[in-house]
């Protein structure tokens, strides 16, 4: 079965950078879409970025464009989220997700989820 394991979260000052990793296992991910979502305390889980495993095409939510890059390493079966110029409002638990087919921004579209990694940005 598919397993997604996130890592790389932590505490960082505003303006700093972090790189999150999502190690994927359990199958080949050709024709899958991989995504990052985040959930702040008391709020809904929101889409951050997605990537098509085969083509590498990406999509970002407007609030992170220019500050965040999603990428994947096929050999390592790992998806990354490079975040820079971090703001306190980026504080959240970040989740990796996977689904067969095209990229979407909807939580309900994704079949597989990791356990999440906490990102805290101090002001």
């Amino acid at each position: 079965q598919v397993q997604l394991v996130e890592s790389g979260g932590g505490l960082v000052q505003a303006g700093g950078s972090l790189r999150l990793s999502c190690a994927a296992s359990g199958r080949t991910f050709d024709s899958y879409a991989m995504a990052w979502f985040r959930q702040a305390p008391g709020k809904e889980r929101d889409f951050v970025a997605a990537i098509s495993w085969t083509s590498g095409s990406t999509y970002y939510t407007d609030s992170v464009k220019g500050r965040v890059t999603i990428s994947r390493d096929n050999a390592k079966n790992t998806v990354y989220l490079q975040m820079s110029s971090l703001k306190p409002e980026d504080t959240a638990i970040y989740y990796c997700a996977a689904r067969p087919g095209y990229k979407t921004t909807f939580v309900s579209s994704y079949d597989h989820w990791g356990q999440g990694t906490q990102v805290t940005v101090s002001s």
Side-chain angles (χ1 to χ4, degrees):
Q1 69 224 32
V2 172
Q3 285 194 317
L4 305 174
V5 179
E6 302 98 332
S7 61
L11 174 64
V12 63
Q13 289 188 333
S17 299
L18 276 177
R19 188 178 79 161
L20 307 183
S21 300
C22 172
S25 62
R27 61 158 294 130
T28 57
F29 291 91
D30 294 350
S31 300
Y32 262 60
M34 309 293 291
W36 288 95
F37 288 78
R38 64 186 179 185
Q39 188 166 19
K43 296 190 176 181
E44 294 183 348
R45 192 169 298 189
D46 291 330
F47 172 80
V48 177
I51 187 168
S52 294
W53 194 277
T54 302
S55 70
S57 64
T58 58
Y59 184 77
Y60 300 90
T61 193
D62 286 345
S63 63
V64 305
K65 284 180 181 176
R67 301 190 297 120
V68 166
T69 301
I70 188 171
S71 62
R72 87 272 191 247
D73 184 327
N74 291 348
K76 295 183 178 180
N77 254 23
T78 300
V79 177
Y80 302 100
L81 190 71
Q82 178 69 50
M83 303 187 292
S84 59
S85 301
L86 284 163
K87 306 174 182 180
E89 51 263 45
D90 294 316
T91 295
I93 299 175
Y94 283 70
Y95 296 92
C96 179
R99 70 180 300 274
Y102 55 86
K103 305 183 296 293
T104 82
T105 63
F106 301 106
V107 170
S108 59
S109 297
Y110 287 83
D111 302 312
H112 309 286
W113 293 85
Q115 82 290 348
T117 186
Q118 177 71 48
V119 171
T120 303
V121 184
S122 62
S123 56

